[in-house]
Amino acid sequence: MLVDTHCHVHHEPFDADRDAVLQRARQEGVQRFVTVGCDVQDSHKAQQLASQHNDMMCTAGIHPHEAAQAQTQDLEHIEELACHPKCTAVGECGLDYSRKEFKKELQLECFANQIDLAKQLRKTLVVHVRDAWDDCIDLLKQRQDGNLRGVFHCFTGNWDNARKALDLGFWISISGIVTFHNATTLAQVVAKLPLEHLVVETDCPYLAPVPHRGKRNEPAHVHLVAQKVAQLQQQDLQQVLQQTGNNAQQAFGFSTDNS
């Protein structure tokens, strides 16, 4: 099973040709899509789109870039959205200190609330982390009581980061960045990672893999990510597709029959 575990096909760049984009992905063998929400309004749009497609699930969450604007009622709305049958995870949430002006305490509070929500609802947590690995891992370790499962989306960390993610029992999601010629550290990490903890994604419309880098990304390109993972792990592509598909099914709880 080929699964795009993290895409944003409900976003505006796909408004003009969304049906064609999804059809191209299906023709490339993509059997499941997880379209990911980043705030209340965005999560609602993700849910609306997922409700129209048997092979699509959605998430509901507040991205760290939106944490400073989040209100108490926003988390209540996320909880309501996350209870929908089409919603398979809480997130994308996490910590991102890459922007010049970021509100660390507000990000930590917003992330902690969503960790607790994922545990409460028994949903997978979709984690975004950038320039904040120590704080992210510390917060997750504090709240890991055996009932927290999650995916580190668009992983770009080093081996130490990966090891700590694995110690938490989380899956690691690989995006098109792994195909970039300057992504040598990531390639080395992917080569060492246990396949049973890997899933693949596009993060489209962002981060198109080589040879599409710089263009709009789309779910059909997730097969290029899987091919690169197979190359780096020196594994048969079909084995990678089967294992990452099984991992995605386990992480996001969907069936294999498009129902």
Side-chain angles (χ1 to χ4, degrees):
M1 180 183 288
L2 183 55
V3 182
D4 189 351
T5 62
H6 193 113
C7 58
H8 302 279
V9 288
H10 58 287
H11 282 189
E12 182 272 335
F14 298 110
D15 285 354
D17 63 343
R18 185 172 288 109
D19 288 344
V21 165
L22 294 175
Q23 190 57 31
R24 277 196 294 274
R26 293 171 182 131
Q27 290 170 351
E28 286 289 345
V30 180
Q31 295 177 264
R32 276 287 187 275
F33 310 83
V34 180
T35 195
V36 173
C38 294
D39 60 32
V40 172
Q41 183 179 5
D42 190 56
S43 298
H44 181 67
K45 287 179 63 178
Q47 185 184 107
Q48 286 182 314
L49 181 63
S51 296
Q52 299 169 20
H53 298 276
N54 289 337
D55 54 1
M56 187 179 298
M57 302 297 284
C58 65
T59 76
I62 300 173
H63 191 284
H65 289 163
E66 309 300 325
Q69 291 77 42
Q71 305 295 319
T72 302
Q73 61 266 31
D74 290 338
L75 190 67
E76 295 171 356
H77 289 313
I78 292 297
E79 179 175 359
E80 181 179 350
L81 289 164
C83 288
H84 191 276
K86 273 287 185 174
C87 185
T88 187
V90 173
E92 158 180 10
C93 58
L95 301 174
D96 191 324
Y97 299 166
S98 65
R99 293 188 174 181
K100 190 172 183 178
E101 294 183 5
F102 66 92
K103 306 293 186 182
K104 179 176 178 177
E105 294 306 317
L106 292 176
Q107 284 196 27
L108 286 165
E109 180 182 5
C110 190
F111 186 29
N113 287 336
Q114 290 176 92
I115 296 170
D116 292 343
L117 179 61
K119 289 168 59 175
Q120 172 191 328
L121 299 180
R122 298 188 178 277
K123 301 273 186 176
T124 294
L125 188 74
V126 176
V127 179
H128 169 113
V129 56
R130 188 175 178 188
D131 296 346
W133 271 99
D134 288 345
D135 284 352
C136 182
I137 293 293
D138 286 348
L139 191 56
L140 290 168
K141 285 176 66 176
Q142 290 169 19
R143 283 170 156 73
Q144 178 57 284
D145 57 1
N147 294 313
L148 177 63
R149 66 181 188 271
V151 176
F152 279 95
H153 132 74
C154 193
F155 182 85
T156 55
N158 58 31
W159 178 248
D160 184 60
N161 301 143
R163 181 181 55 78
K164 290 175 179 177
L166 295 173
D167 287 345
L168 285 164
F170 280 33
W171 292 273
I172 293 177
S173 185
I174 306 303
S175 73
I177 292 175
V178 75
T179 69
F180 295 178
H181 300 307
N182 60 349
T184 52
T185 298
L186 178 59
Q188 291 167 359
V189 171
V190 171
K192 295 169 60 177
L193 284 168
L195 186 57
E196 61 268 24
H197 285 278
L198 288 180
V199 294
V200 290
E201 65 166 276
T202 60
D203 199 20
C204 68
Y206 318 105
L207 303 177
V210 174
H212 306 286
R213 188 174 182 183
K215 302 176 183 178
R216 182 189 71 171
N217 200 5
E218 57 181 73
H221 298 155
V222 74
H223 80 279
L224 296 171
V225 180
Q227 287 176 6
K228 186 66 175 181
V229 169
Q231 175 192 336
L232 291 169
Q233 295 229 329
Q234 299 182 335
Q235 294 263 13
D236 178 75
L237 177 59
Q238 291 305 313
Q239 173 64 24
V240 169
L241 294 178
Q242 179 178 345
Q243 186 64 61
T244 58
N246 289 343
N247 297 343
Q249 183 182 350
Q250 185 179 358
F252 294 103
F254 47 69
S255 67
T256 59
D257 60 0
N258 279 1
S259 62

